[in-house]
């Protein structure tokens, strides 16, 4: 149901909205959201009701994701039950036999365990075998379990790094990767066909898995580290998420000393009390970790987001500690794998740095570029390493065909320890790459909105009046990604290729109400002036790009 425009609200529209909300409340098995909806009806909160019933949550970059609450445009037990029933119908239509297994995982967010249980009951009621992970655990463990246990699908209840009020629902098929078109649309059609919730069969014969699947995953990850130096002092934070125990065990199994863990963020907490947003990229999220690092005088800070599928790092510099950008960590991990002789396709998303393509070419390895989201990266043929700039890295696709913050963290520590043994740091590796391929500096302009129409308006402005230059660099070509320009499947976005190898990509976020602008400049490194001089030049160019694209988009 579309929202009314000012002046068009009618008694009929209000009547239909109220009828829809009452029907939803009658169908809702959750007394909390049912009472919430009944209170809104009693108070006549028409605008709030309209927002809650303005369409339905749809599969985006990382599955369903939205704010907790009553209504079709929120995450709740009605939406989850209908989604699970639609998924079960799709799997059976695709040939899943009776007792075919679906593994279900969940993080420590509000209602994650409830949504996992609802999913297990619906799968069991549909004649499938539901296997539930034993407790809140990392998302990559769920992706691992799908293939390890021979399942036809997997479900992970998580909103990853979103605000505390959100939750989400990620769907994987039997190959261990997230759904992509046309499967997402086919599942959505079956969700739409689900009738009254009372008619959805449920069962109680589902299985809670033991710790053996957890131990198998952790041992597999620990086994990725080869022989080599292990002298490395770390600070680690799971950011109130589920990664803490897993990371500590993997590091110790691989031979590293236990890290200093940020005590205020060590235990899972669905309210994420010490951060504004539980995302390592957000300002302030890593402050406690870097303060502990300064106190303990460690070599490296590492972090996961709340479901541990992302990995972040910080390194010491002349001014204290600085966060490594996702592209820098991606380059470091690629370097580690390339120099270790890992042959295969190296891939990244279109919004990630172009440096990976040059590194792969120099090593004689294939390179692939995909749309944003690991659901696309995981589909690359012959993948050996994939990453996206938003801190997502896949270093072991043979076992986990998704981003994995636990294995990425381990290999980054292995590289740091090897460099330390030679009197070097991760920054020295980045400097070497800059000397070899030019300094590839990236940044992002991210604008959070309260009205999604603002994003559409910004995209319209850019299409109506295309910029001819950005940051003093000529726009050499423009790819309208919505038309499928650049040989990729159509998606909303614009890519500007600029002089001197620079580029700007503008797209709406697939997981949050944000407009994102991804910036990259490439600056040759003069051997006499050094990498630091190139960094200063790159920072000025990025500032100019940011100002110009902001002005062009009117944001």
């Amino acid at each position: 149901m579309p929202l009314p425009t000012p002046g068009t609200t009618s008694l009929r529209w209000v009547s239909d909205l109220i009828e829809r909300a009452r029907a939803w409340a009658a169908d809702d098995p959750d007394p909390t959201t049912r009472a919430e909806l009944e209170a809104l009806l009693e108070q006549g909160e028409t605008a709030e009701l309209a927002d809650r019933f303005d369409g339905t949550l749809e599969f985006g970059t990382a599955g369903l994701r939205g704010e907790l609450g009553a209504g079709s445009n929120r995450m709740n037990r009605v939406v989850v039950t209908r989604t699970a029933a639609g998924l079960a119908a799709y799997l059976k239509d695709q040939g899943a036999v009776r007792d075919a297994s679906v593994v279900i995982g969940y993080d420590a967010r509000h209602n994650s365990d409830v949504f996992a249980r609802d999913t297990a009951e619906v799968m069991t009621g549909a004649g499938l075998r539901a296997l539930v992970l034993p407790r809140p655990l990392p998302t990559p463990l769920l992706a691992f379990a799908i293939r390890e246990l021979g399942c036809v699908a997997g479900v992970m209840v998580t909103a990853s790094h979103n605000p505390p009020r959100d939750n989400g629902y990620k769907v994987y098929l039997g190959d261990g990767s997230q759904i992509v078109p046309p499967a997402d649309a086919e599942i959505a059609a079956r969700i739409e066909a689900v009738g009254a919730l009372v008619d959805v069969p449920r069962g109680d014969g589902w299985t809670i898995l033991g710790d053996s699947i957890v131990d198998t995953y952790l041992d597999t990850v620990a086994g990725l580290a080869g022989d080599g130096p292990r002298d490395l002092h770390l600070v680690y934070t799971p950011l109130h998420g589920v990664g803490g125990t897993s990371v500590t065990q993997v590091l110790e199994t691989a031979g590293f000393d236990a890290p200093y863990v940020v005590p205020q963020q060590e235990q899972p907490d669905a309210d994420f009390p010490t951060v504004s947003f539980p995302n390592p990229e957000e300002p302030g999220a890593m402050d406690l970790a870097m303060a502990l690092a300064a106190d303990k005088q460690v070599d490296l800070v590492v972090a996961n987001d709340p479901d541990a599928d992302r990995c972040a790092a910080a390194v010491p510099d002349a001014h204290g500690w600085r966060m490594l950008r996702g592209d820098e960590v991606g380059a470091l991990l690629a370097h580690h794998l390339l120099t270790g002789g890992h042959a295969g396709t190296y891939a990244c998303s279109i919004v990630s740095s172009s440096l990976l393509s040059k590194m792969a070419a120099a090593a004689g390895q294939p390179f692939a570029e995909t749309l944003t989201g690991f659901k696309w990266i995981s589909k690359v043929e012959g993948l050996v390493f994939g990453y996206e700039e938003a801190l997502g890295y896949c270093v072991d696709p043979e076992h986990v065909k998704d981003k994995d913050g636990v294995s990425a963290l381990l290999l980054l520590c292995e590289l740091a320890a090897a460099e330390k043994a030679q009197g070097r740091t991760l920054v020295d590796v980045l400097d070497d790459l800059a000397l070899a391929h030019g300094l590839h500096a990236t940044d992002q302009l991210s604008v959070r909105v309260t009205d999604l129409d603002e994003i559409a308006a910004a995209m319209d402005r850019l299409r109506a009046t295309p910029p001819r230059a950005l940051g003093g660099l000529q726009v050499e070509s423009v790819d309208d990604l919505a038309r499928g320009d650049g040989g990729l499947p159509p998606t909303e976005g614009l890519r500007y290729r600029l002089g001197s190898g620079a580029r700007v990509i503008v797209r709406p976020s697939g997981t949050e109400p944000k407009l994102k602008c991804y910036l990259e400049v490439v600056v040759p490194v003069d051997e006499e002036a050094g990498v630091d001089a190139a960094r200063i030049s790159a920072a000025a160019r990025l500032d100019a790009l940011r100002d110009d694209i902001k002005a062009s988009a009117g944001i």
Side-chain angles (χ1 to χ4, degrees), residues 454-504:
E454 295 178 46
I455 293 177
M459 298 300 294
D460 288 344
R461 282 190 289 271
L462 288 169
R463 287 190 171 97
T465 311
R468 296 183 178 181
L470 291 168
L473 297 170
Q474 191 75 20
V475 175
E476 296 182 344
S477 66
V478 182
D479 292 331
D480 191 333
L481 301 176
R483 297 197 306 246
D485 291 356
L488 296 169
T491 186
E492 176 62 309
L494 294 164
R495 173 166 55 182
Y496 302 92
R497 299 183 189 274
L498 312 177
S500 302
R503 62 107 174 105
V504 174

Side-chain angles (χ1 to χ4, degrees), residues 59 64 75 80 83-85 87-88 91 101-107 112 115-120 123 131-133 138-139 141-143 145-146 151-158 168-173 177 179 187:
F59 290 110
L64 301 179
M75 276 295 296
V80 166
T83 302
L87 174 60
L91 294 172
S101 297
V102 176
V103 63
I104 302 157
Y106 58 100
D107 66 9
S112 287
F115 296 158
R117 184 175 65 245
D118 281 334
T119 302
M123 292 298 167
L131 309 174
V132 182
L133 294 180
T139 292
L141 199 158
L142 180 279
I146 294 167
C151 298
V152 295
V155 170
M156 183 70 193
V157 182
T158 179
Y169 200 88
K170 296 175 76 169
V171 176
Y172 300 75
L173 295 182
S177 64
I179 57 172
I187 294 170

Side-chain angles (χ1 to χ4, degrees), residues 386-402:
Y387 94 93
E388 57 183 4
E389 53 75 42
L391 310 182
Y393 315 96
C394 176
V395 299
D396 183 26
E398 180 183 349
H399 295 104
V400 178
K401 290 184 72 174
D402 199 11

Side-chain angles (χ1 to χ4, degrees), residues 71-115:
S72 60
N73 200 30
R74 296 288 190 271
M75 276 295 296
N76 50 66
R77 293 186 64 192
V78 177
V79 166
V80 166
T81 299
R82 291 175 60 84
T83 302
L87 174 60
Y90 169 82
L91 294 172
K92 292 166 73 174
D93 289 346
Q94 293 295 308
V97 298
R98 185 171 184 83
D99 291 332
S101 297
V102 176
V103 63
I104 302 157
Y106 58 100
D107 66 9
R109 284 178 175 267
H110 294 297
N111 279 359
S112 287
D113 56 340
V114 176
F115 296 158

Side-chain angles (χ1 to χ4, degrees), residues 163-228:
R165 64 180 181 272
D166 290 357
N167 213 324
Y169 200 88
K170 296 175 76 169
V171 176
Y172 300 75
L173 295 182
D175 67 347
S177 64
Q178 294 180 54
I179 57 172
V180 297
D184 53 358
E186 293 170 358
I187 294 170
R190 287 160 178 81
I191 295 170
E192 183 67 24
V194 174
L197 256 62
V198 69
D199 296 328
V200 174
R202 288 178 177 258
D204 58 6
W206 42 281
T207 300
I208 298 178
L209 296 168
D211 275 346
S212 61
I213 185 62
V214 180
D215 292 338
T216 302
Y217 165 75
L218 296 177
D219 289 344
T220 299
V221 173
L224 295 175
D227 295 334

